[in-house]
Amino acid sequence: MITLLDYGAGNVRSVINAIESLGETVTVAASARDILCAEKLVFPGVGAFGSMMRILVEKGYAASLQAYLKSGRPFLGICLGLQALFEGSEEAPGVSGLGIIPGTVRRFKVDLSVPHIGWNGLTVRKPSRLFDGLRGNEKFYFVHSFFVVPSDEKAILTTTDYGERLSAASSKAI
């Protein structure tokens, strides 16, 4: 059973469809307790960092999410779900993230179109179950104006390039 955290602004239906296509069962968290009781948790998100964090705090999800993450159980954060793990974001100065992964979320400062929209390859920097089996020619779809910058490069699982080399996936063992 996989629990999906829907804070009200995520690409929830497409993520549920993808998980179910793999033969898994998905339940949507309806309370902070559902987050705490999850065996595996997926947190997709779209929108703005500040609004997301405000909603997580108002619904009582932030503390439960921090407790869940510190338990070491499986977690997948997609887009803002990943960004929430960091200490803060240039998008919302003064708004604290969950602080699970030291580092920040930065806005692109490149001479390319922002947001970055399109297919890019990944370079695996650190082995993980998430990227096992990649041959090196796969493409992943990106739609973002901000990217995560872990303080410790050991947290970077994969990188991609969009005018600069950036982290595309990060992890922290708890």
Side-chain angles (χ1 to χ4, degrees):
M1 172 78 67
I2 295 175
T3 302
L4 187 127
L5 173 55
D6 178 9
Y7 77 101
N11 45 348
V12 174
R13 179 53 21 205
S14 61
V15 174
I16 290 172
N17 290 344
I19 294 169
E20 289 177 343
S21 77
L22 298 171
E24 295 288 340
T25 303
V26 178
T27 183
V28 176
S31 69
R33 178 161 172 66
D34 290 344
I35 295 168
L36 289 171
C37 295
E39 294 173 28
K40 300 171 186 173
L41 184 64
V42 174
F43 179 12
V46 297
F49 186 90
S51 297
M52 171 199 57
M53 290 308 303
R54 180 183 50 77
I55 292 167
L56 290 177
V57 169
E58 286 174 0
K59 290 187 171 189
Y61 289 177
S64 295
L65 190 49
Q66 286 173 316
Y68 175 89
L69 292 163
K70 289 176 183 175
S71 76
R73 288 174 277 168
F75 174 82
L76 176 63
I78 303 168
C79 196
L80 273 178
L82 169 64
Q83 293 179 21
L85 302 179
F86 286 77
E87 296 166 309
S89 173
E90 290 180 353
E91 184 177 21
V95 175
S96 295
L98 298 173
I100 299 297
I101 300 177
T104 190
V105 180
R106 293 195 183 138
R107 189 177 200 310
F108 280 108
K109 294 176 179 88
V110 295
D111 285 334
L112 297 168
S113 296
V114 176
H116 165 215
I117 300 174
W119 294 93
N120 269 17
L122 297 181
T123 300
V124 176
R125 298 248 325 249
K126 180 177 166 184
S128 73
R129 289 180 28 201
L130 186 59
F131 297 105
D132 277 352
L134 290 185
R135 295 178 307 275
N137 59 348
E138 297 85 358
K139 300 288 184 191
F140 294 81
Y141 195 71
F142 291 83
V143 179
H144 60 133
S145 298
F146 294 84
F147 60 96
V148 298
V149 181
S151 297
D152 183 353
E153 288 204 13
K154 292 178 188 166
I156 299 173
L157 292 178
T158 66
T159 59
T160 193
D161 186 80
Y162 191 68
E164 63 183 301
R165 181 69 53 193
L166 57 116
S167 175
S170 300
S171 121
K172 178 181 178 185
I174 306 290

